[in-house]
Amino acid sequence: MEADTHNVETKLKQAMLTAAPSTALGRQFAHAVAALEHRLSRRAELVAACSAQDAQVFQGWRQPGQRPVLVVANGLDLQQVQHISWQARLRQAQQRGYGIALFVGSSHTPNVDAARLIAQVASAMPGWQFVLLGGCGPALQRAGKPVLSANLHCLGLVTEQEKQLWLAEATVGLNPMASGSGTNLKIAEYAAWGLPVLATGLGVRGWNWQPGSDYLHVEASTASVSQGLEAALSFMQQGNAADHRLREQALQLGWPRIARHFGQALQSLV
């Protein structure tokens, strides 16, 4: 009865499987995904997406008179969150003598592309330590390019407790995405934990954030991300109001609240 569609898989698989060097099997698979997703979107009584942008795409595939696509945000287990202010993180970095830039990402192609960019930035910024959590780091190591520098730490899959440790210790959260769909849950985690965010516009998709006040906006290039990190500490000095505002926004993403919202939509079908 319900199609829970959190990303535009047609767009993701098209980018992943048909880019050069593509294969006939990859192109066939991308075509099959698109056909299946279009069919599900048309036939489902209720379709959910994680962002307004994705909801627009799905709505375009729906038939006239069908229910509008519902936007249901990604959620957090807020019981595990320990908020640390921008000011406290700034003091941590000053006491250590270096900042820690954190990126959390799976081995999904958009994340690996962002990790590759971060690796290039790391080699140009020895005064920072860069930490990659999740499958993106090992995928980057397997690829062998670019050459990984000593200040880039590819930790792979970690326990929830280890991830929470890095969320507490990091100075900034990175999300320099150049492609992808849906919303990035890491942005909600960064905000809830009090991490200032350095991201592309695509990296904060689905969030009503203003560049320069809510986050440090960068383009998906080595020069732009490097410049953003150079400005990060001064950005954090003026961030008390933004820190509080973003945390309050992230705290709206607890699973019980989201479940009630989605449950009400399902109940309307009965």
Side-chain angles (χ1 to χ4, degrees):
M1 183 171 77
E2 176 267 334
D4 181 6
T5 317
H6 284 288
N7 294 297
V8 183
E9 293 298 330
T10 296
K11 178 180 177 181
L12 289 175
K13 298 304 185 288
Q14 181 77 16
M16 292 169 57
L17 297 171
T18 64
S22 64
T23 65
L25 180 60
R27 292 190 295 273
Q28 289 175 356
F29 183 65
H31 178 75
V33 169
L36 178 60
E37 189 168 40
H38 281 69
R39 182 182 178 190
L40 285 172
S41 296
R42 287 193 300 270
R43 295 184 61 179
E45 293 188 48
L46 179 66
V47 176
C50 280
S51 72
Q53 294 95 327
D54 283 0
Q56 276 189 319
V57 175
F58 293 130
Q59 193 63 51
W61 299 341
R62 304 275 280 164
Q63 301 294 332
Q66 287 187 302
R67 291 174 181 269
V69 175
L70 180 69
V71 177
V72 180
N74 272 324
L76 295 173
D77 180 359
L78 296 175
Q79 293 181 335
Q80 304 299 320
V81 171
Q82 176 190 353
H83 184 266
I84 300 170
S85 70
W86 289 12
Q87 295 295 323
R89 292 178 187 277
L90 180 60
R91 287 194 296 271
Q92 282 179 333
Q94 291 170 337
Q95 290 167 1
R96 283 192 297 246
Y98 58 86
I100 297 176
L102 176 69
F103 178 71
V104 182
S106 68
S107 58
H108 198 44
T109 298
N111 288 321
V112 177
D113 290 342
R116 184 174 296 107
L117 172 59
I118 292 167
Q120 294 167 348
V121 173
S123 64
M125 299 200 71
W128 281 78
Q129 297 293 316
F130 296 81
V131 176
L132 304 181
L133 298 186
C136 61
L140 200 62
Q141 290 173 311
R142 289 192 295 271
K145 291 181 180 181
V147 176
L148 306 185
S149 55
N151 62 331
L152 180 70
H153 311 280
C154 301
L155 303 187
L157 300 179
V158 298
T159 65
E160 184 63 27
Q161 290 74 21
E162 289 173 306
K163 184 177 77 168
Q164 291 168 13
L165 172 64
W166 285 111
L167 285 166
E169 290 294 322
T171 309
V172 299
L174 301 177
N175 205 32
M177 307 297 288
S179 64
S181 178
T183 56
N184 291 133
L185 187 56
K186 65 175 75 69
I187 293 292
E189 286 192 297
Y190 292 162
W193 279 79
L195 264 172
V197 173
L198 184 152
T200 58
L202 186 63
V204 295
R205 175 204 288 260
W207 299 87
N208 187 25
W209 286 10
Q210 298 302 313
S213 58
D214 296 330
Y215 76 105
L216 276 164
H217 177 80
V218 297
E219 302 301 329
S221 71
T222 304
S224 184
V225 176
S226 299
Q227 290 168 3
L229 283 172
E230 288 172 353
L233 299 185
S234 60
F235 175 72
M236 294 168 67
Q237 288 175 339
Q238 48 86 34
N240 284 336
D243 180 14
H244 177 75
R245 182 172 64 254
L246 300 182
R247 178 173 186 252
E248 289 302 310
Q249 185 180 6
L251 291 181
Q252 300 302 307
L253 298 178
W255 281 119
R257 184 176 183 276
I258 291 172
R260 285 194 299 272
H261 173 53
F262 197 27
Q264 289 167 356
L266 293 175
Q267 185 66 30
S268 70
L269 297 178
V270 178

